[in-house]
């Protein structure tokens, strides 16, 4: 049995950022351990569906260990040993007893702690979860961790220039389709929804991406539920050397079931990421936390929140120990994706009325367009394709700006008129936003 003051369960994005924050806060050698099912130190998971799959100069570890993704120091395995932080890898925790503060691994090792951070992330939803016939076939692949990515790379090499079917039209499906295409595969995307990424994209936004992908030679079959990876409900059969499924994830909470309050499929926390069990924190994908900006509980499965929630929890833990406090987590949702030569960013909430701006012509040489969402007279969310760093900062500011405090929209008093001139394109006329 091993005992630690702090244990981070999970060795992904949030674990890396939490470890860095612990180090900043002066954690002592031997106090902190990360226990991870994976065999490598924490890394920036988004790389797996992007640079990791490039046919040339592909990203490989140690290149993308945390915390490079946010422009920080790259924490190599040596960094952890220098700080006296124990990395307990290739170790799956199968049982958690929060009452006795004990974790048990599949190999029957036990670990005890004083403070626990649950950072177990999500597991992919598999076709087998829907009872799909033939879903066990070994050319059906998923992508959550580096082992999955290595299987995909091996399959791409084994089936050079083959046919690939990508099931799912979310951002993973879109990024994977692009990666397979640049690896010279004949790619078909299949998804049941009327357009890709319906959870975020409006029909106008999706029209661009579907057109852009079609121009790249990617076939799209939509509105058709894939009942097997290759046989569609409408009777069509798609041939494939590789089938890759990206239909979403589920928060990995099962070791804690019945021991901790849950909400929105995740583990319920306060604004400091402490759960209903004192001394047990849940961060990143698994946490359902109070989103101050919208005054409701949310769960967010994006890398920016993984990083920031990890830092917030560690700051809160250390402050509490010192009898102090930190401000509540006040998060502005941020999400991005990249594929081919295009990339977009989104800030805020995609609720209310949406307005498309700019030119969403998929054949444009340098596409630049977006959408904003207005609720109760205020812009609450902004999506921008092709923005510069400065322009992306501008849209974040707009999405974060408070409502006009009861004053009528359009009055001059106390207002900055964010004309987005810097955004320098035809959306200009549409996209005149007022923020306080
Ligand atoms: C392929 C891919 C691409 C992505 N791209 C983007 C993107 O472009 N933009 C974006 O905003 N977000 C993206 N995301 C989402 C983002 O990566 C996640 O939100 C983020 O990784 C969540 O961090 P986390 O620490 O909660 O979970 P993870 O990073 O998934 O880490 C969880 C860790 O816990 C370990 N674990 C789980 N259960 C156990 C157990 N019982 N015992 C031991 N270890 C355990 C796992 O093995 C893993 O190491 C992407 C995700 C994937 C999979």
């Amino acid at each position: 049995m091993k005992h630690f003051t702090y244990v981070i369960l999970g060795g992904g994005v949030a674990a890396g950022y939490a470890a860095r924050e612990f180090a900043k806060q002066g954690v002592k050698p031997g106090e902190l351990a990360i226990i991870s099912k994976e065999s490598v130190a924490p890394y920036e998971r988004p790389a797996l569906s992007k640079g990791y799959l490039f046919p040339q100069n592909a990203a490989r570890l140690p290149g993308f260990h945390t915390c490079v993704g946010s422009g920080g120091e790259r924490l190599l395995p040596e960094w952890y040993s220098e700080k006296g932080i124990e990395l307990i890898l290739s170790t799956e925790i199968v049982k958690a007893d929060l009452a006795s503060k004990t974790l048990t691994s599949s190999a029957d090792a036990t670990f005890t702690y004083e403070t626990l951070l649950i950072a177990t992330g999500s597991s992919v939803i598999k076709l087998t979860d829907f009872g799909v016939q033939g879903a066990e076939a070994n050319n059906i692949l998923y992508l959550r961790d580096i082992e999955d990515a290595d299987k995909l790379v091996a399959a791409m090499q084994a089936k050079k220039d083959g046919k690939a079917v990508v099931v799912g039209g979310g951002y993973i499906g879109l990024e994977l389709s692009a990666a397979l295409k640049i690896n010279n595969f004949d790619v078909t995307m299949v998804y049941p929804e009327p357009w890709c990424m319906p959870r975020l994209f409006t029909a106008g936004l999706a029209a661009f991406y579907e057109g852009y992908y079609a121009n790249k030679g990617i076939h799209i079959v939509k509105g058709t539920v894939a009942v097997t990876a290759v046989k569609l409900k409408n009777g069509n059969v798609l041939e494939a050397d590789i089938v890759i499924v990206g239909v979403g994830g589920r928060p990995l909470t099962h070791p804690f079931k019945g021991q901790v309050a849950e909400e929105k499929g995740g583990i319920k926390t306060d604004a400091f990421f402490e759960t209903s069990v004192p001394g047990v924190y849940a961060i990143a994908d698994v946490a359902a936390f109070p989103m101050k900006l919208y005054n409701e509980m949310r769960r967010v499965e994006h890398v920016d929140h993984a990083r920031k929630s990890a830092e917030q929890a560690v700051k809160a833990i250390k402050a509490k120990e010192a009898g102090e406090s930190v401000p509540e987590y006040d998060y502005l949702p941020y999400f991005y994706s990249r594929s081919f030569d295009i990339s977009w960013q989104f800030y805020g909430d995609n609720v209310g009325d949406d307005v498309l701006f700019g030119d969403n012509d998929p054949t444009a040489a340098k596409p630049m367009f977006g959408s904003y969402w207005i609720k109760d007279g205020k812009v609450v969310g902004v999506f921008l394709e092709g923005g510069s760093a400065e322009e992306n900062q501008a849209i974040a500011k707009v999405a974060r700006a408070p409502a006009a405090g009861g004053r009528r929209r359009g009055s001059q008093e106390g207002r900055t008129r964010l004309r987005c001139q810097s955004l320098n394109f035809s959306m200009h006329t549409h996209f005149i936003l007022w923020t306080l």
Side-chain angles (χ1 to χ4, degrees):
M1 186 193 284
K2 280 192 157 186
H3 179 79
F4 299 93
T5 312
Y6 313 101
V7 165
I8 302 171
L9 176 55
V13 174
Y17 283 78
R20 183 178 68 170
E21 188 60 38
F22 267 119
K24 276 190 197 161
Q25 302 272 340
V27 75
K28 295 190 188 70
E31 280 188 336
L32 171 63
I34 292 177
I35 305 178
S36 176
K37 211 159 56 173
E38 293 190 81
S39 60
V40 292
Y43 57 89
E44 303 282 358
R45 199 162 303 280
L48 298 183
S49 52
K50 305 175 183 68
Y52 205 83
L53 305 176
F54 285 173
Q56 268 108 37
N57 303 323
R60 286 290 176 271
L61 288 177
F64 59 99
H65 279 300
T66 54
C67 302
V68 287
S70 57
E73 186 194 351
R74 187 168 51 139
L75 309 183
L76 299 172
E78 301 83 274
W79 179 87
Y80 294 88
S81 33
E82 277 159 22
K83 299 280 175 205
I85 297 171
E86 197 157 337
L87 273 180
I88 302 170
L89 302 176
S90 305
T91 302
E92 182 175 11
I93 295 301
V94 289
K95 193 172 160 230
D97 183 353
L98 299 185
S100 66
K101 301 187 170 195
T102 307
L103 306 173
T104 309
S105 78
S106 54
D108 226 15
T110 53
F111 306 92
T112 55
Y113 58 82
E114 282 152 47
T115 299
L116 175 66
L117 277 94
I118 303 171
T120 42
S122 308
S123 61
V124 287
I125 296 175
K126 300 204 163 174
L127 290 184
T128 42
D129 298 346
F130 305 115
V132 169
Q133 262 186 331
E136 300 291 357
N138 60 8
N139 69 341
I140 298 181
L141 303 172
Y142 298 88
L143 183 60
R144 182 72 209 177
D145 58 24
I146 214 155
E147 251 182 62
D148 297 334
D150 285 337
K151 278 187 203 155
L152 177 56
V153 169
M156 288 196 299
Q157 280 161 2
K159 305 283 179 191
K160 267 198 181 324
D161 306 338
K163 284 184 184 233
V165 170
V166 175
V167 181
Y171 73 92
I172 299 256
L174 286 163
E175 290 181 0
L176 281 172
S177 299
L180 284 154
K181 191 70 206 170
I182 58 176
N183 278 280
N184 233 5
F185 273 74
D186 180 7
V187 183
T188 303
M189 290 184 76
V190 184
Y191 43 89
E193 297 90 358
W195 61 76
C196 61
M197 257 200 86
R199 286 207 303 194
L200 173 61
F201 288 178
T202 60
L205 293 177
F208 168 84
Y209 294 98
E210 292 182 348
Y212 188 93
Y213 272 51
N215 291 342
K216 293 278 181 191
I218 292 175
H219 319 285
I220 294 179
V221 181
K222 53 183 181 172
T224 309
V225 179
V227 290
T228 76
V230 285
K231 264 194 223 154
L232 304 180
K233 198 180 176 184
N234 64 8
N236 287 346
V237 176
L238 294 173
E239 271 178 50
D241 298 302
I242 300 178
V243 177
I244 173 133
V245 182
V247 291
R250 278 197 196 96
L252 256 169
T253 58
H254 59 86
F256 314 99
K257 284 263 172 243
Q259 303 182 64
V260 69
E262 290 187 45
E263 193 159 334
K264 297 197 178 287
I267 297 174
K268 187 177 177 187
T269 75
D270 61 16
F272 311 98
F273 294 99
E274 191 162 18
T275 69
S276 57
V277 179
V280 176
Y281 291 73
I283 52 179
D285 280 16
V286 285
F289 63 96
M291 179 94 74
K292 201 174 171 186
L293 199 52
Y294 308 130
N295 199 22
E296 63 180 45
M297 296 295 285
R298 294 268 179 108
R299 213 169 52 70
V300 175
E301 290 183 7
H302 298 314
V303 71
D304 179 61
H305 163 68
R307 296 166 180 155
K308 290 181 175 150
S309 61
E311 288 166 0
Q312 166 77 355
V314 176
K315 283 182 184 147
I317 289 166
K318 296 305 286 181
K320 201 172 181 182
E321 284 173 5
E324 293 163 5
S325 64
V326 292
E328 291 180 340
Y329 192 59
D330 187 9
Y331 184 65
L332 173 71
Y334 163 58
F335 183 35
Y336 69 92
S337 179
R338 285 194 299 273
S339 56
F340 296 115
D341 290 332
I342 50 176
S343 77
W344 53 258
Q345 300 208 357
F346 169 76
Y347 288 89
D349 216 8
N350 57 327
V351 294
D353 298 324
D354 61 275
V355 181
L356 187 70
F357 59 80
D359 180 7
N360 66 338
D361 176 358
T363 60
K366 197 179 175 313
M368 208 184 199
F369 65 93
S371 205
Y372 55 91
W373 283 261
I374 301 169
K375 194 179 166 213
D376 302 332
K378 177 197 172 324
V379 174
V380 290
V382 190
F383 175 102
L384 183 61
E385 168 63 52
S388 65
E390 194 195 12
E391 289 155 355
N392 287 325
Q393 271 171 19
I395 65 166
K397 208 170 154 193
V398 171
R400 159 72 82 178
R407 281 183 302 239
R408 212 166 50 79
R409 198 168 169 245
S411 91
Q412 294 303 311
E413 195 197 345
R415 242 165 240 202
T416 308
R417 201 175 203 206
L418 185 70
R419 207 168 291 205
C420 295
Q421 262 152 346
S422 62
L423 294 183
N424 186 25
F425 51 100
S426 62
M427 72 176 207
H428 183 83
T429 43
H430 246 316
F431 194 41
I432 296 177
L433 303 172
W434 291 269
T435 64
L436 270 183

